[in-house]
Amino acid sequence: MYGGFENRRSNKIIKAALDNDINYFDTAPRYGDSEKIIGKFLKGNHDVIISSKVGLNPINESLFKKNSNFMKRELKLRMKNNFKFAEHYLNKKLKKRYDNTIYNLNNFIQIRPNNLVLSQKEIKYSLHKTLNNLQRNHLDVLFLHEPDQYSNINEIQGIFNDLKQEGLIKNYGLGFHRWLNNKDNFNSAFLTLSMFKKDMIYEESYNSEQIFIHGAMGYYKFGLDINEIRKYQSPLDFMRKLTTLHPNATFLIAPSNHYQLIDFVV
């Protein structure tokens, strides 16, 4: 979510979510203006559950850059909606980028040395800034963004526990841009937020009962081949079957406009 030209669109997404009984929002300092926009819109609404993150620095773009990116996306969308050749070209380009991103993330993250240390001072500074952006006095879930890069996970858990005792967070977890594997053996106190794994469309059990999954919709659009997609009537049918197989998992979706969200819920 971004401000500038996209501020109105962002607010429509939040309103559509609330109107359709969605009460959980996941954000992060790195996600554009998301924290500030959600905080301004939901000020005083403590029935909504919010998670955010610590561990990756925000991407600070100028207002000009945000608005120019918005204009590029709008142009591509109009081309896609009005010309079949443009739709085919852009979808093919997005699929290639998706495949490269998934491949590079999983390879890079697993060979990257975990030699960084995240201090109590850095965690508290980030959390207080997040709470200020969200206009709240506590956070429902604080995820550690990309924990593979840190060597002091046990120390970080202790800091998270202290924040929980202080009432600044209710729960804490680990947030990955990769899927979990059999080698992962994290403390059960951590909630886990991981990328969608293809095996989830076949397996009825998957790791922890306290797991959050992102990227399922991206996989539906770009990870499945045409024969696999034909097994599902729609993205909603795909998600319904996933939630039937994994009733204890929470799947996160990221709509780019409120129409997508309304269509998905309906």
Side-chain angles (χ1 to χ4, degrees), residues 77-91:
L77 183 62
R78 295 194 179 197
M79 291 288 290
K80 193 173 177 179
N81 289 340
N82 289 284
F83 301 100
K84 281 292 180 185
F85 77 90
E87 180 183 14
H88 176 74
Y89 171 77
L90 291 171
N91 282 343

Side-chain angles (χ1 to χ4, degrees), residues 56-111:
L56 290 179
N57 294 327
I59 299 174
N60 295 314
E61 293 181 335
S62 67
L63 184 60
F64 174 79
K65 178 68 173 175
K66 292 173 186 175
N67 287 340
S68 62
N69 286 341
F70 167 77
M71 296 300 290
K72 288 177 185 176
R73 286 194 295 272
E74 280 293 291
L75 177 61
K76 287 180 181 178
L77 183 62
R78 295 194 179 197
M79 291 288 290
K80 193 173 177 179
N81 289 340
N82 289 284
F83 301 100
K84 281 292 180 185
F85 77 90
E87 180 183 14
H88 176 74
Y89 171 77
L90 291 171
N91 282 343
K92 189 175 180 180
K93 190 175 180 181
L94 283 169
K95 179 171 174 53
K96 185 177 180 181
R97 188 171 72 181
Y98 175 85
D99 290 339
N100 287 335
T101 299
I102 298 300
Y103 177 82
N104 291 332
L105 276 172
N106 278 279
N107 279 276
F108 174 68
I109 289 172
Q110 295 196 40
I111 64 172

Side-chain angles (χ1 to χ4, degrees), residues 13-252:
I13 290 174
I14 300 172
K15 184 179 185 302
L18 295 174
D19 289 345
N20 286 279
D21 299 321
I22 291 173
N23 69 343
Y24 173 43
F25 293 79
D26 176 66
T27 182
R30 198 171 178 84
Y31 298 167
D33 303 314
S34 177
E35 287 187 339
K36 290 183 178 179
I37 291 172
I38 289 173
K40 187 175 181 180
F41 196 100
L42 296 178
K43 184 178 180 181
N45 184 348
H46 289 281
D47 294 328
V48 173
I49 298 167
I50 300 179
S51 61
S52 192
K53 303 174 184 70
V54 61
L56 290 179
N57 294 327
I59 299 174
N60 295 314
E61 293 181 335
S62 67
L63 184 60
F64 174 79
K65 178 68 173 175
K66 292 173 186 175
N67 287 340
S68 62
N69 286 341
F70 167 77
M71 296 300 290
K72 288 177 185 176
R73 286 194 295 272
E74 280 293 291
L75 177 61
K76 287 180 181 178
L77 183 62
R78 295 194 179 197
M79 291 288 290
K80 193 173 177 179
N81 289 340
N82 289 284
F83 301 100
K84 281 292 180 185
F85 77 90
E87 180 183 14
H88 176 74
Y89 171 77
L90 291 171
N91 282 343
K92 189 175 180 180
K93 190 175 180 181
L94 283 169
K95 179 171 174 53
K96 185 177 180 181
R97 188 171 72 181
Y98 175 85
D99 290 339
N100 287 335
T101 299
I102 298 300
Y103 177 82
N104 291 332
L105 276 172
N106 278 279
N107 279 276
F108 174 68
I109 289 172
Q110 295 196 40
I111 64 172
R112 180 173 54 186
N114 59 332
N115 56 5
L116 296 181
V117 173
L118 191 63
S119 69
Q120 182 183 53
K121 183 178 179 181
E122 290 172 310
I123 292 172
K124 284 195 169 185
Y125 175 80
S126 177
L127 175 59
H128 283 293
K129 194 169 182 180
T130 286
L131 292 175
N132 185 58
N133 288 339
L134 292 171
Q135 302 188 43
R136 294 197 162 206
N137 58 14
H138 75 274
L139 192 63
D140 293 291
V141 187
L142 177 63
F143 287 108
L144 175 62
H145 227 161
E146 306 304 349
D148 288 325
Q149 63 187 321
Y150 295 109
S151 61
N152 63 327
I153 295 291
N154 291 336
E155 181 185 356
I156 291 170
Q157 184 180 5
I159 297 167
F160 282 179
N161 269 320
D162 290 342
L163 295 173
K164 191 173 179 180
Q165 292 298 318
E166 293 175 43
L168 293 174
I169 63 174
K170 288 188 175 180
N171 301 281
Y172 55 82
L174 304 172
F176 300 89
H177 263 106
R178 66 170 176 85
W179 50 72
L180 300 183
N181 57 59
N182 294 331
K183 295 180 181 178
D184 293 319
N185 185 26
F186 304 109
N187 190 301
S188 60
F190 286 112
L191 301 175
T192 50
L193 169 61
S194 68
M195 180 166 279
F196 178 80
K197 187 179 181 182
K198 182 179 180 178
D199 294 350
M200 292 192 75
I201 61 179
Y202 308 113
E203 297 176 357
E204 294 189 14
S205 60
Y206 183 74
N207 278 296
S208 168
E209 290 188 355
Q210 300 183 94
I211 191 165
F212 295 75
I213 305 292
H214 65 92
M217 291 307 298
Y219 181 79
Y220 174 83
K221 288 190 287 186
F222 307 119
L224 290 173
D225 64 36
I226 189 64
N227 292 322
E228 289 175 312
I229 287 179
R230 285 173 179 160
K231 297 177 183 177
Y232 307 99
Q233 297 176 6
S234 65
L236 180 56
D237 182 44
F238 174 73
M239 290 304 300
R240 279 178 176 156
K241 290 181 180 178
L242 273 182
T243 54
T244 299
L245 282 171
H246 310 281
N248 294 316
T250 297
F251 292 91
L252 307 185

